[in-house]
Amino acid sequence: MLYSVLAAGAMPPGFGEITILAAVSVGIAYLCYRLKLVPIAGFLIAGVIIGPSALGLVDDLELVNTLAEIGVILLLFTIGIEFSLDKLSRIKRLVLGGGALQVFTTMAVVTGICLALGVDWRSALFTSGLVALSSTAIVLGLLSDRGETDSPVGQSGLGILIFQDFGIIVMVLLVPLLGGGEGSTLDLFLTLGKALGLIAIVVVLARKIVPPILARVAATRRTELFLLTVVALCFLIAWIMGLADVSLALGAFLAGLIVSESPYATQALSEVLPLRTVFNAAFFVSVGMLLDVQVLLDAWPLVLGAAAVVLVLKLLITTAALIIMKMPLRIAAASGLMLAQIGEFSFVLDIAGREVGLTPMGLGVEGQQVFIATTVLLMLLTPFMASLGGRLGTAAQDVFGPLTSAELPDEEVPKLEDHVIIVGYGPVGRRLARVLRRAGIPFIVVDLNPQSIEEARGEGINAVYGDATRPHVLEVAGVEHAKLCVVAINDREATVRTVHTAAYENPTLQIIARADFLDDVDRLHEAGAEVVVPTEIETAVRLFGDVLHAYRVPSDEVSRHIREVRANDYRLICDPELPISDAIMDDTPGMVLDGLSEDGLHTRTVTVREQAAAAGQTLGDLALRQKHDLTVVAIRRGDDIIGSPSGSETLRPGDRLVLVGPASAFAGCADIFRFFDEPTPVDA
């Protein structure tokens, strides 16, 4: 047949449908990109448009469904690759605690509602499984695009999603029993036993056979051969599981998990991602094609009502589950809103239910259409809900308070002076703590992750469990007498609020903040940060230095140019019209850290803000030495340095005073340099 098609120039079967599917999907996905919607939303809309209930451009639904099934297999395979035992161990408390609470509570509440409405218990339990799941693809995509995968909100959401991904496997296995067919409880246990046996066999064989195979293939350095091997492994294990009447999805996930524990996981994922994108597009397009537009128009009040119930229910349950896991209300509410949709795996479960006569709410075709319409609507709203999550969480915490303890009561925090407060004990915070510890510089750690705090305390590090956006937590960390505060958390809004709170509590505190994006630099400076380090630009700075070294530029000159870049807030890199000049370097004594001498520890650089009481006053009027026991060593004004200034020197907004004195003196003069009123929520 292939020969005849090629010889006669005939169009192969399904080619027209695939062409239309690809063309429409690309067009609408591009439109969604311009509107800042996730591509999945575009695929869903494309399916509705080309589906039989709208334009009817695609007739071969069986072909589209086949592509969609391949998409599900590849989706679960890539999730398995991205999943690792190490990642699970770091957030196992959220997975086993928060995830279990969210899934089981949601299922219990939805089942109770359905039973109260007269729905059969089988259909009620089946419906609860559909509602309990959230969209792994959409949520992880949003977190990745926004660089928030490792943020507290991202980690909380990931923990719950991992439990849900395992839960779908059990749910699919339970569907035949719920369908009331010939299967019995014994048959279910036999199926589970068969699945576990196959998993054990596959894992044992894979650990001995798969790594050597991948090593040999990788040694050829032929990417096409490596890709073919990885895809074959995925489909082979899924096929073996299918022969045992177990979900293909489980086999694909298992295959991905096997690859994830090998040294070739990163390359395997990079090779499969383009394929996954193509077939996932087919999956979501096929979902959109299932939606009957006429039913949606006729039942729109029911669809809106169902969407509202699901949204509110999942928001409240997820938030409550995370609060029980000791997450702050701000993080819990933001995660709850981000997960308040129905996921793509619910469609997998719905398809399995359809085969045994189960439908949402037991309403048959109408129930399926309402379920599809509700899911599509919530998926489309997810990017907006994720954007609102931070503000909702902040507002909720401001109204109701933190709802969790500020610090762990079993450790007494020592009273420190002239110390560094490290907010965030992630990879960056750990490295900084290691350096400070070796240098003998006093510091204390503040973090929201109980496991991180326990690790820090186990290493003999002073640590406070709590949300650094709360004044009381910073007070426990000794912010009033601290010299520096380094905010190294991966949460944009929390970073701004932490800087804002710390600057109010101690306006003489020098604050160094990490910013993942250049857009946050100005916001953090306005909130009170003295130094902002944008990670995306620091990468460019490192490359810039390496390039100069490659051209054999002397090391001292390279260092000088890098200092220029940083001293000018990276404008030399960000502004293409700004020439590199020999600007005066910041040689002011006592900037940030100046060794471990007494002078270094008791020296701080304080910026005079426009709203501060010190602005417009002379040094004589302020009488810092007489009233507060503080000595003004120098004033930096623009590029000029005024050494040993006289009492007649009038302070201007933007002046940076180099002050020497005890920590208690800096705490006593806080009102002079404070530049805003009581902390208020910082708008996004």
Side-chain angles (χ1 to χ4, degrees), residues 140-151 487-496 513-525 529 531-540 569-570 573-574:
L140 292 186
L142 286 172
L143 291 173
S144 177
D145 291 342
R146 295 162 60 178
E148 297 178 0
T149 304
D150 293 326
S151 68
V487 185
I489 54 178
N490 189 15
D491 186 328
R492 299 174 70 182
E493 298 307 317
T495 298
V496 176
R514 164 191 173 185
D516 287 329
F517 302 99
L518 192 62
D519 294 342
D520 293 332
V521 172
D522 290 340
R523 294 177 63 204
L524 289 168
H525 278 308
V531 178
V532 179
V533 182
T535 53
E536 61 175 345
I537 301 301
E538 272 296 321
T539 301
D569 283 338
Y570 306 93
I573 285 181
C574 301

Side-chain angles (χ1 to χ4, degrees), residues 114-447:
C114 292
L115 292 175
L117 295 175
V119 178
D120 175 72
W121 73 269
R122 299 174 189 271
S123 297
L125 190 57
F126 174 70
T127 304
S128 71
L130 298 176
V131 175
L133 303 176
S134 301
S135 176
T136 301
I138 293 179
V139 172
L140 292 186
L142 286 172
L143 291 173
S144 177
D145 291 342
R146 295 162 60 178
E148 297 178 0
T149 304
D150 293 326
S151 68
V153 174
Q155 291 293 286
S156 299
L158 179 62
I160 290 177
L161 288 170
I162 289 176
F163 188 88
Q164 291 180 358
D165 292 344
F166 277 111
I168 181 62
I169 297 170
V170 178
M171 292 178 189
V172 170
L173 290 172
L174 287 173
V175 162
L177 180 64
L178 289 178
E182 297 180 359
S184 63
T185 304
L186 178 60
D187 293 330
L188 174 63
F189 282 113
L190 289 176
T191 302
L192 285 171
K194 189 189 302 181
L196 292 175
L198 284 171
I199 291 173
I201 293 173
V202 170
V203 169
V204 170
L205 293 177
R207 287 184 174 178
K208 295 182 178 180
I209 296 176
V210 172
I213 291 177
L214 290 179
R216 289 177 179 273
V217 173
T220 66
R221 299 187 179 181
R222 306 294 299 185
T223 56
E224 67 275 12
L225 181 59
F226 188 85
L227 171 62
L228 183 61
T229 304
V230 170
V231 172
L233 177 66
C234 168
F235 289 161
L236 178 62
I237 296 180
W239 177 67
I240 292 174
M241 298 298 288
L243 291 179
D245 296 324
V246 180
S247 170
L248 293 175
L250 174 60
F253 178 81
L254 178 62
L257 189 60
I258 292 170
V259 174
S260 75
E261 299 302 315
S262 74
Y264 311 101
T266 301
Q267 179 63 22
L269 182 61
S270 66
E271 295 287 352
V272 175
L273 278 179
L275 285 177
R276 185 189 75 171
T277 301
V278 172
F279 287 104
N280 280 354
F283 172 73
F284 287 106
V285 168
S286 69
V287 170
M289 293 172 65
L290 294 174
L291 179 63
D292 190 327
V293 177
Q294 188 59 48
V295 172
L296 176 60
L297 294 175
D298 294 339
W300 66 265
L302 182 58
V303 171
L304 292 179
V309 170
V310 171
L311 193 156
V312 173
L313 191 66
K314 297 193 74 171
L315 168 61
L316 295 178
I317 292 176
T318 304
T319 301
L322 290 174
I323 289 175
I324 293 174
M325 292 292 103
K326 303 300 183 182
M327 296 301 293
L329 178 58
R330 175 176 60 84
I331 303 300
S335 301
L337 192 58
M338 181 178 65
L339 298 176
Q341 79 285 123
I342 298 176
E344 58 275 358
F345 291 141
S346 294
F347 291 118
V348 177
L349 187 62
D350 180 53
I351 293 171
R354 217 178 305 161
E355 295 175 354
V356 295
L358 290 174
T359 59
M361 298 285 289
L363 296 177
V365 176
E366 182 181 2
Q368 288 178 343
Q369 290 300 316
V370 171
F371 160 71
I372 294 171
T374 301
T375 303
V376 171
L377 176 60
L378 290 174
M379 283 183 169
L380 292 174
L381 290 176
T382 297
F384 303 104
M385 294 190 295
S387 298
L388 290 173
R391 277 172 280 185
L392 172 68
T394 298
Q397 185 157 298
D398 288 338
V399 173
F400 298 106
L403 298 185
T404 55
S405 59
E407 75 257 16
L408 296 179
D410 57 341
E411 288 282 346
E412 183 178 351
V413 179
K415 301 297 182 183
L416 301 177
E417 289 188 351
D418 295 317
H419 60 290
V420 181
I421 298 175
I422 302 176
V423 179
Y425 199 60
V428 175
R430 280 180 167 84
R431 293 188 182 98
L432 178 59
R434 189 179 304 122
V435 173
L436 295 181
R437 196 173 191 180
R438 289 175 179 173
I441 298 173
F443 68 94
I444 191 168
V445 169
V446 179
D447 200 289

Side-chain angles (χ1 to χ4, degrees), residues 434-475:
R434 189 179 304 122
V435 173
L436 295 181
R437 196 173 191 180
R438 289 175 179 173
I441 298 173
F443 68 94
I444 191 168
V445 169
V446 179
D447 200 289
L448 263 174
N449 187 337
Q451 184 174 346
S452 297
I453 294 298
E454 290 175 4
E455 291 176 4
R457 290 177 175 174
E459 297 167 3
I461 294 174
N462 298 320
V464 175
Y465 167 71
D467 185 351
T469 66
R470 313 300 297 182
H472 174 62
V473 175
L474 290 179
E475 290 171 8

